[in-house]
Amino acid sequence: LAYLGARLRRTPPRFVVTCARGSSDHAAVYGKYLIETTLGRAVASLGPSVASVYNTRSLDLRDSLFIAISQSGQSPDLLRMTEAARAGGAVVLGFINDESSPLSALCDVRVPLSAGPEHSVAATKSYLLSGLAFLQLVAYWSDSAELHDAARRFPDALEAASKLDWWPALASLKDASSLYVVGRGSGLGAALEMALKLKETCRLHAEAFSSAEVLHGPLGLVRPGFPVLALGQEDNAAQGMRSVVQRMVELGANVHATLPVPGAQPLPTLPDLPSVLAPLCQVQSFYFAVHQLATARGLDPDAPAHLRKVTETV
C-alpha cells in the first residue's frame, strides 16, 4: 500500500473504477466517498455484466485505477470485467481474501484481506477488512497523517464497538415485515450492508437509502410505527441526517439513530471516534446483534435460505 500510494501520487489516475458485488460492493461505496472527498478523484462503479453478459471489450479505462473487491475472487463476471479493464488500459488493484484465486492473478497490485476462512454465508470479516483496505489506500495515497492515525486506531475501535449492545434496538424488529436503513456519505455503504444482512440472515425486507434520496418518494411509506435504523457520523452530512431523522420522527416512525435526535431512540456509538471509522464500527456493533435477531425469528443466521458461500454469477 505504501508503494501504491507513492506510485499514485507520482502518476495520479484520471478517475477510479470499482467492481464488486454484495458486501464487497458496499465496502466500495465507503471507499468511493473517501477517495472523492479526500483526493478529488471521481469514482464510478462498473457492473460486471458489462463484460460478461454484454461482451463489451472496448471500455476506455486508460490512466484509471480499477479496484476489484472480492472475498473468493472466483465469480466469472468479475473475472471477465477485470480482464476487460486490463485490456482497456487500467491499473488493476485487488482487495481479495483468497490470495490463490483467479482474480488475484489478474491484478497488478494485490492487497490480501487476510480475513481467514469465513464459515457463515454472510460475509462479515471480509467486509470490515475491505473497508480498512480502502482507508489505508487513501491514507497512503494522500499521505494524510489524520487518516494514518485513524487506520492505526481501527483495531482497538473495532474491539470496543463489538462490546456495544445493539440488541435492544434490533429486538424491536422481531415481528417487523419491512424497514428502512438510512445513511449518507461515508455511512451509506454501512446502510447498504446492514440492509443486506437483514435480508439474508433474518428474511426481513430492509431497504437502504441515502437520507437525501429517502425524501424523493420513499418517505411516502413512513407511517406511525414504521421501523427505521438511521446511521450517521459527525461530518458534513450530520446536520442533514438529523433533519431527515426529525422528519421521520414527526411522521410517527420508530427510529433508532446513531446521531442524537429528539424523539429518536439512541443506538450506542463510540465517543471521540474519527468520522471515517464510525461507519465501520457501527457495522461491527450491528453484526454482534443481527444474529440474535435471526435466531429470534426462528432462523439460522449461518445458513441463510437459498444462498451459498461462494456466489458465482455470469
Side-chain angles (χ1 to χ4, degrees):
L1 281 164
Y3 155 78
L4 181 61
R7 175 177 172 178
L8 293 171
R9 285 196 303 277
R10 285 195 306 271
T11 311
R14 289 189 298 135
F15 57 91
V16 178
V17 173
T18 64
C19 192
R21 291 203 186 278
S23 292
S24 296
D25 195 39
H26 303 159
V29 173
Y30 169 77
K32 166 187 171 71
Y33 280 94
L34 283 181
I35 293 169
E36 290 179 340
T37 59
T38 305
L39 295 155
R41 298 286 162 179
V43 181
S45 172
L46 271 182
S49 63
V50 169
S52 64
V53 174
Y54 293 99
N55 297 311
T56 303
R57 301 192 179 280
S58 58
L59 284 173
D60 182 3
L61 297 179
R62 287 172 296 171
D63 303 321
S64 73
L65 176 66
F66 178 93
I67 308 176
I69 310 100
S70 176
Q71 180 190 323
S72 70
Q74 297 181 36
S75 189
D77 54 354
L78 185 58
L79 296 174
R80 290 280 294 277
M81 189 67 250
T82 304
E83 290 170 348
R86 287 178 63 91
V91 173
V92 177
L93 167 63
F95 295 156
I96 309 165
N97 197 37
D98 184 351
E99 297 176 65
S100 65
S101 66
L103 178 61
S104 184
L106 294 174
C107 296
D108 298 304
V109 181
R110 303 158 197 81
V111 175
L113 297 179
S114 303
E118 290 199 274
H119 299 293
S120 73
V121 170
T124 51
K125 294 185 293 182
S126 59
Y127 171 81
L128 292 168
L129 289 171
S130 296
L132 174 60
F134 271 110
L135 174 58
Q136 291 178 309
L137 169 67
V138 177
Y140 279 108
W141 184 353
S142 64
D143 201 22
S144 163
E146 182 180 356
L147 293 182
H148 278 300
D149 179 66
R152 283 191 294 268
R153 292 177 60 180
F154 181 70
D156 289 341
L158 210 62
E159 179 68 20
S162 71
K163 295 176 170 59
L164 298 180
D165 189 5
W166 281 36
W167 169 236
L170 268 61
S172 66
L173 301 174
K174 179 178 180 296
D175 299 314
S177 58
S178 64
L179 77 149
Y180 286 165
V181 189
V182 183
R184 195 169 188 187
S186 62
L188 179 58
L192 291 162
E193 173 63 6
M194 291 184 195
L196 175 62
K197 292 297 186 282
L198 288 164
K199 291 186 184 85
E200 64 184 353
T201 66
C202 301
R203 307 193 80 171
L204 177 54
H205 180 232
E207 289 290 336
F209 289 102
S210 159
S211 61
E213 289 296 336
V214 81
L215 299 176
H216 291 264
L219 197 66
L221 291 180
V222 176
R223 57 194 182 278
F226 187 85
V228 177
L229 297 179
L231 312 177
Q233 58 286 333
E234 290 292 353
D235 61 10
N236 291 355
Q239 188 53 47
M241 172 61 72
R242 288 188 175 96
S243 297
V244 171
V245 170
Q246 187 62 58
R247 178 65 177 137
M248 291 178 161
V249 169
E250 291 168 356
L251 292 171
N254 178 23
V255 184
H256 289 82
T258 59
L259 295 173
V261 176
Q265 302 174 68
L267 285 165
T269 58
L270 297 174
D272 303 320
L273 193 68
S275 61
V276 294
L277 291 186
L280 299 176
C281 289
Q282 289 168 20
V283 169
Q284 170 82 326
S285 300
F286 169 84
Y287 282 159
F288 274 77
V290 70
H291 70 94
Q292 297 179 71
L293 177 59
T295 302
R297 289 169 68 92
L299 302 168
D300 179 356
D302 290 333
H306 319 310
L307 299 176
R308 296 183 301 169
K309 186 59 188 172
V310 177
T311 303
E312 296 187 5
T313 49
V314 176

